[in-house]
Amino acid sequence: MNPLIAPSVLAADFANLQKEVEMINGSAADYIHVDIMDGVFVPNISMGLPVVEAINRYANKPLDVHLMIVNPENYLAAFQKAGAAHITVHSEACPHLHRTIQSIKELGCKAGVAVNPHTPIAQLEDIIREVDIVILMSVNPGFGGQKFIENTYKKVHRLAKLIVETGSHAKIEIDGGVSMENARKLFDAGANILVAGNFVFSSENPQETIKKLKNIV
Amino acid sequence: MNPLIAPSVLAADFANLQKEVEMINGSAADYIHVDIMDGVFVPNISMGLPVVEAINRYANKPLDVHLMIVNPENYLAAFQKAGAAHITVHSEACPHLHRTIQSIKELGCKAGVAVNPHTPIAQLEDIIREVDIVILMSVNPGFGGQKFIENTYKKVHRLAKLIVETGSHAKIEIDGGVSMENARKLFDAGANILVAGNFVFSSENPQETIKKLKNIV
Amino acid sequence: MNPLIAPSVLAADFANLQKEVEMINGSAADYIHVDIMDGVFVPNISMGLPVVEAINRYANKPLDVHLMIVNPENYLAAFQKAGAAHITVHSEACPHLHRTIQSIKELGCKAGVAVNPHTPIAQLEDIIREVDIVILMSVNPGFGGQKFIENTYKKVHRLAKLIVETGSHAKIEIDGGVSMENARKLFDAGANILVAGNFVFSSENPQETIKKLKNIV
Amino acid sequence: MNPLIAPSVLAADFANLQKEVEMINGSAADYIHVDIMDGVFVPNISMGLPVVEAINRYANKPLDVHLMIVNPENYLAAFQKAGAAHITVHSEACPHLHRTIQSIKELGCKAGVAVNPHTPIAQLEDIIREVDIVILMSVNPGFGGQKFIENTYKKVHRLAKLIVETGSHAKIEIDGGVSMENARKLFDAGANILVAGNFVFSSENPQETIKKLKNIV
Amino acid sequence: MNPLIAPSVLAADFANLQKEVEMINGSAADYIHVDIMDGVFVPNISMGLPVVEAINRYANKPLDVHLMIVNPENYLAAFQKAGAAHITVHSEACPHLHRTIQSIKELGCKAGVAVNPHTPIAQLEDIIREVDIVILMSVNPGFGGQKFIENTYKKVHRLAKLIVETGSHAKIEIDGGVSMENARKLFDAGANILVAGNFVFSSENPQETIKKLKNIV
Amino acid sequence: MNPLIAPSVLAADFANLQKEVEMINGSAADYIHVDIMDGVFVPNISMGLPVVEAINRYANKPLDVHLMIVNPENYLAAFQKAGAAHITVHSEACPHLHRTIQSIKELGCKAGVAVNPHTPIAQLEDIIREVDIVILMSVNPGFGGQKFIENTYKKVHRLAKLIVETGSHAKIEIDGGVSMENARKLFDAGANILVAGNFVFSSENPQETIKKLKNIV
């Protein structure tokens, strides 16, 4: 099996999202990754519901919505309605993570949990069987274009082990600084989905770059 | 003098902002109004810095950025850098409003304060001489397409009176539910700038609608 | 017209609310006042939804629910469903007071705004026509049995004047330290509804006490 | 040894708590479980200090008070004074959990820590010897009548192991969805105290139901 | 009557507070002003309880403690115990200002309320008779050495008028950018107490500077 | 190698910090420990930037600054500028701990993370290689003079093991209740730095006490 690729529109041309989405539609990408930042959970404000709706009008790949926001439970239904197929919340923002994950699934979406670079995998022990996706942050959330944190490989290994041990079906998604140099190694360590932002959108031929990532194996 | 018109991109096609901005560029509009919502100060998450940057790449009218966010002082420099010409903060979100207004002006932007529908004009007594713009919310902030609150006329009158009495140079901007039906009356009451979202973007000919609003007098 | 009397169950016997409610049912009281405190907006935790539901199962007078809580907008529907006929929120807890008041009315309840002892009446200038009730706190909210604040009379006068000037239909409700000594004076100043807690429930004959308050004029 | 049973008054008739408490007094129950919810830590507001005081006036079993509130340290003394024999706080609400536990013990109460369904047992490693009770939430806190989460058995096993390894004397209490079907299995896994709400109060003969739970072994 | 002078230790040599306090002891100053900043209400962290205690060990003038902190009610008793004679809280930080002021007075301290540069005097209408001191911020709180805001004169006039009209005994204290140039004008406008930081401590002869301020009339 | 000793100025004479710092300068101490408390993360307000600056003017040992504050990322640059050589933040206050640690290092300071008494060592698994210092709290942060928590030895062992296993270079620092009785045992367990407050400053000869602690081995 090849890695699943989720280009992040955070690095796209926001003046022409239809065109960008159509480029992704025509590519080998599997999902469209959308980074929602509220300026409170993370030190940046990126985009919100009307942008997701606009992307959804043209997308023919599932929207992989990553909520970097406080109190995400308040916005789950709105993002589902705006077109999200996956909704991922941060473990650091959810004192009632189990309930939040259930709420996402009751909306008919795939449910994900994201963990920051310093958050141990062991935190997921009692939720791993409930989630469809775990996003391992390989940079600190808030900005595109950051350098990949090398410790991520160890976390992928530990998470893959936890998934096997618990019989979870969760997919491992890596978000931040993904490039041709680390993609293969991440995949080998157990990663299933690779988010790629600048690496795709700053490349000369984004569709070609997506294809190369997809065929890294 | 005619009213100044600020079409709000909250009602625009987010999949094709370049085209929408070019439409505004070619219209009689004076500013481009951008509504930033964080999901904490208001119950909606709209758009953030990368969207403002994208708009700014194509805009030839000043960006009138309306921050419906908590702790706006943390993001003033970022929005200025992203292209804001005006930055307006909410009085309800600013325990240190005077400092926040000074910070906006030190960045070289016009500084505005917005007040919610229930907030009395008298709250502005000691800041009115410092601001370039007062946004009177004529709907509750958070969503486009809401019904105009009739009490707004009284607030325009009171604000216009306060401005004259204090020798302030502040312009009065009305945000929410503006249409041909109330635009003239608002202008007569003392309003200088009219924000128009759905009324412009849902109309058959947005440029024509902007022109009509502009020539309401 | 006589004053309307709203005995506050905060002073009732919580072990036998059915009996207490039946006592009120059989009295001259007009409403049953219910004080909801969350331990965050006020320094006390009193009672919540299951208590309101229980009261409502037996009450034949409208429930006058006073929310001393942060973010009351999150609980409006739940309190309406639990049986509230009136819902009053605190101006100090509502940065979007106009929206909150509209939401209460859309639920089919009478909508009230409460102001703390230090909050000026002028704060209500732009919301007074929207509300059905204004609660003037004549003690600091959080506890029963406190001493009446004498400055309240002035606030009643100012509020009565604002109501007349704006053509509002709002009723003036006084909450805290009400007794036979100040009831008449409050009524004369313009108060319409008197909340009475300990004064009623600690009296020998609560129904008689309610009747006396009612017939104070 | 048989399990200890703690009927939760959240499911009782709040209009007649004296009667409900007397029913528990006359039953085989060991404690009276009281769920305090503030609407901030959990999405429900249940009951507070005056309700605990009322229960305490009639109870002859120790009150097992479960604080589902933010900043519980502010209310420990008040709940002790209102009659709490046990006070349990949530690990997710306590950045200074060790101090909070000490404070409860200094008040002369048994001290408990509760963990949400997703919170790993390993979080308790350095506090387990300090606490008298650990509440494992087997539903998400906030509402009665929810479905038991099956992962709870694993957590009971892990917690029982941690208690043995560290020489702790803590009792394991299970809260949420307890019924005859899972009570035996929970007890076998190592649980000591079973909270039961709807299962007891919705049954035809609550005292009989309590007895059956008690004699599950 | 001459103005009362309160040198602010924020501008003193923190390595030698005993010496600085003794300088003030030997001067014509009336109070020692102490600025407590928590980094949350204001964007600076200055000093706290152990510093106040240290000052108090040597001071023979009353300590005029200005709390620029959130939730000041949590620290009133501690500052009283540390030696505060006056405690002033910010109106912007106190949703229950009346209770907070009462609490200060019950501790045996003079009670003050401070208002930020943008906060209207009318906010004080219902609390003015309860307070001993009103601090008008003539700079934005958080830092020493800022430029005096000219609008302050108007606020002094309005506040002096409110004090007369209500029969309040409150003293007017001015904090920020006070110097020989504005001291006379402030005093003439109605100010009673002048806080002076850098102006005193950066002068060649602080005692002489204090004396000059004192004798400005 | 001997333990490194960091006398905590929280126990010093704040009226004469120059003298206290000079005492430390002339002692065998390695660092000067400075406890910054904001009254929000911990229930005490201690000292802030001007105090650190004052200490730094006289210190010839590196300042070991311990931030017991919320949102420490807002104040890192200010404390570095004020003279901090080490900056330690609390894991319980940092949802983005990895970023915060990077920010400290980019300022040219040694970066530390502190954990409260109840926080497990396993929380540090993915950050341990990034930090220069781990402060294990051996009392609950907020006050000097508290009793040492015996469980700390186990945490030192576990942390020392984690450091070896991960190849981290982090030093282990113990803060709270350190005395001659436990210093040796802590050092043997793997501690590198001992903070000592009252034990040093309340002793008859602080320099001698520091020397004894230093030569405990």
Side-chain angles (χ1 to χ4, degrees), chain A residues 1 11 16 20 30 32 40 42 47 72 98-99 101-102 108-110 129 150 157 172 174 190 210 213-214:
Chain A
M1 195 188 121
N16 292 288
E20 297 285 54
D30 298 278
I32 302 182
V40 178
V42 285
M47 66 192 105
H98 188 279
R99 169 180 286 138
I101 292 293
Q102 299 312 316
C109 296
K110 299 278 182 190
R129 282 175 56 96
E150 296 290 320
H157 278 296
I172 300 175
I174 307 299
I210 291 168
L213 276 172
K214 183 83 190 166

Side-chain angles (χ1 to χ4, degrees), chain F:
Chain F
M1 193 188 122
N2 284 6
L4 300 161
I5 305 301
S8 167
V9 293
L10 189 60
D13 172 9
F14 276 85
N16 292 288
L17 283 175
Q18 179 180 345
K19 211 181 61 184
E20 296 285 54
V21 169
E22 286 168 355
M23 180 280 286
I24 301 176
N25 285 346
S27 79
D30 299 277
Y31 309 119
I32 302 181
H33 189 78
V34 190
D35 288 305
I36 309 297
M37 305 176 185
D38 67 356
V40 178
F41 179 65
V42 285
N44 196 5
I45 307 177
S46 61
M47 64 193 106
L49 289 153
V51 183
V52 176
E53 281 162 18
I55 293 170
N56 191 49
R57 276 201 299 280
Y58 298 99
N60 64 18
K61 316 258 178 176
L63 300 197
D64 182 46
V65 175
H66 179 189
L67 298 182
M68 284 165 273
I69 66 176
V70 293
N71 301 319
E73 56 280 8
N74 295 344
Y75 290 99
L76 300 177
F79 279 103
Q80 184 272 335
K81 207 178 147 198
H86 308 168
I87 299 180
T88 294
V89 295
H90 264 267
S91 73
E92 299 86 4
C94 293
H96 302 283
L97 181 59
H98 187 280
R99 170 181 286 137
T100 308
I101 292 293
Q102 299 310 316
S103 301
I104 295 170
K105 296 200 287 195
E106 283 162 18
L107 288 165
C109 296
K110 299 279 182 188
V113 59
V115 292
N116 275 345
H118 81 285
T119 302
I121 294 301
Q123 288 292 107
L124 302 175
E125 188 176 73
D126 288 302
I127 197 69
I128 190 68
R129 281 176 56 96
E130 305 294 325
V131 296
D132 302 300
I133 297 164
V134 177
I135 295 185
L136 296 184
M137 293 306 304
S138 42
V139 300
N140 285 291
F143 302 95
Q146 296 182 78
K147 199 170 150 283
F148 181 82
I149 297 171
E150 296 290 319
N151 186 55
T152 308
Y153 300 118
K154 283 195 196 157
K155 294 183 81 168
V156 178
H157 279 296
R158 275 183 219 134
L159 177 55
K161 190 158 169 276
L162 179 67
I163 287 172
V164 168
E165 282 172 8
T166 56
S168 164
H169 68 283
K171 287 199 162 55
I172 301 176
E173 180 168 345
I174 308 299
D175 186 3
V178 168
S179 68
M180 217 58 79
E181 293 164 51
N182 53 32
R184 176 63 191 262
K185 204 166 156 193
L186 286 165
F187 184 70
D188 288 349
N192 308 108
I193 308 173
L194 303 179
V195 176
N198 282 323
F199 184 66
V200 163
F201 287 95
S202 305
S203 70
E204 260 186 54
N205 187 333
Q207 290 187 332
E208 195 58 32
T209 305
I210 292 169
K211 198 173 155 190
K212 280 188 194 159
L213 275 172
K214 183 82 190 166
N215 296 324
I216 198 92
V217 195

Side-chain angles (χ1 to χ4, degrees), chain E:
Chain E
M1 195 187 121
N2 284 6
L4 300 161
I5 305 299
S8 166
V9 293
L10 189 61
D13 172 8
F14 277 84
N16 292 287
L17 283 175
Q18 179 181 346
K19 211 180 62 185
E20 297 285 53
V21 168
E22 287 167 353
M23 179 280 286
I24 301 176
N25 285 346
S27 79
D30 299 277
Y31 308 119
I32 303 182
H33 189 77
V34 190
D35 289 304
I36 309 297
M37 306 176 184
D38 67 356
V40 178
F41 179 65
V42 285
N44 196 5
I45 305 176
S46 61
M47 66 192 105
L49 289 154
V51 183
V52 175
E53 281 161 19
I55 292 171
N56 191 48
R57 277 201 297 282
Y58 298 100
N60 62 20
K61 316 259 178 175
L63 300 197
D64 181 46
V65 174
H66 179 190
L67 298 183
M68 285 165 273
I69 67 176
V70 294
N71 302 319
E73 56 280 9
N74 295 344
Y75 291 99
L76 300 178
F79 278 103
Q80 184 272 334
K81 207 179 146 198
H86 309 168
I87 299 180
T88 294
V89 296
H90 263 267
S91 73
E92 301 84 4
C94 293
H96 302 284
L97 181 58
H98 188 279
R99 169 181 287 138
T100 308
I101 292 293
Q102 298 312 316
S103 301
I104 296 170
K105 294 198 289 193
E106 283 161 18
L107 289 165
C109 296
K110 299 278 182 189
V113 58
V115 292
N116 275 344
H118 81 283
T119 301
I121 293 302
Q123 287 293 108
L124 303 175
E125 189 175 71
D126 288 301
I127 197 67
I128 191 69
R129 282 176 56 95
E130 306 294 325
V131 297
D132 301 300
I133 297 163
V134 177
I135 296 186
L136 296 184
M137 294 305 304
S138 42
V139 302
N140 285 291
F143 302 95
Q146 297 183 76
K147 202 170 149 283
F148 180 81
I149 296 171
E150 296 289 320
N151 186 56
T152 308
Y153 299 119
K154 282 193 197 160
K155 293 182 81 169
V156 178
H157 278 297
R158 274 181 221 135
L159 177 54
K161 191 160 167 277
L162 179 66
I163 287 171
V164 168
E165 284 172 7
T166 57
S168 164
H169 68 281
K171 286 199 162 54
I172 301 176
E173 180 168 345
I174 307 298
D175 187 3
V178 168
S179 68
M180 218 56 82
E181 291 164 51
N182 52 34
R184 176 64 191 262
K185 207 168 154 190
L186 285 164
F187 184 71
D188 288 350
N192 308 108
I193 307 173
L194 303 178
V195 176
N198 283 323
F199 184 66
V200 164
F201 287 95
S202 305
S203 70
E204 261 186 53
N205 187 332
Q207 291 188 330
E208 194 59 32
T209 305
I210 291 168
K211 196 172 156 189
K212 280 188 193 160
L213 275 172
K214 184 82 189 167
N215 296 322
I216 197 92
V217 195

Side-chain angles (χ1 to χ4, degrees), chain B residues 56-197:
Chain B
N56 191 49
R57 276 202 299 282
Y58 298 99
N60 63 20
K61 316 258 177 177
L63 300 196
D64 182 46
V65 174
H66 179 190
L67 298 182
M68 284 164 275
I69 66 176
V70 293
N71 300 319
E73 55 280 10
N74 294 345
Y75 290 99
L76 300 177
F79 279 103
Q80 183 273 334
K81 207 178 148 200
H86 309 167
I87 299 180
T88 294
V89 296
H90 263 267
S91 73
E92 299 87 4
C94 292
H96 301 284
L97 181 59
H98 188 278
R99 170 181 285 138
T100 308
I101 293 294
Q102 298 311 316
S103 300
I104 296 171
K105 295 200 287 194
E106 283 162 18
L107 289 165
C109 296
K110 299 279 182 189
V113 59
V115 292
N116 275 345
H118 81 284
T119 302
I121 293 302
Q123 287 292 106
L124 303 174
E125 190 176 72
D126 288 303
I127 198 68
I128 191 68
R129 282 175 56 96
E130 305 295 324
V131 296
D132 302 300
I133 297 163
V134 176
I135 295 185
L136 296 184
M137 293 307 304
S138 42
V139 301
N140 284 291
F143 302 95
Q146 296 183 77
K147 199 168 151 285
F148 181 81
I149 296 171
E150 296 290 319
N151 186 55
T152 309
Y153 301 118
K154 282 193 198 161
K155 294 182 80 168
V156 178
H157 278 297
R158 274 182 221 133
L159 178 55
K161 190 158 168 277
L162 179 66
I163 287 172
V164 167
E165 283 172 7
T166 56
S168 165
H169 68 282
K171 286 198 162 55
I172 301 175
E173 181 168 345
I174 308 299
D175 186 2
V178 167
S179 68
M180 217 56 80
E181 292 164 50
N182 52 33
R184 176 63 191 261
K185 205 167 153 191
L186 285 164
F187 184 70
D188 287 350
N192 308 109
I193 307 174
L194 304 178
V195 176

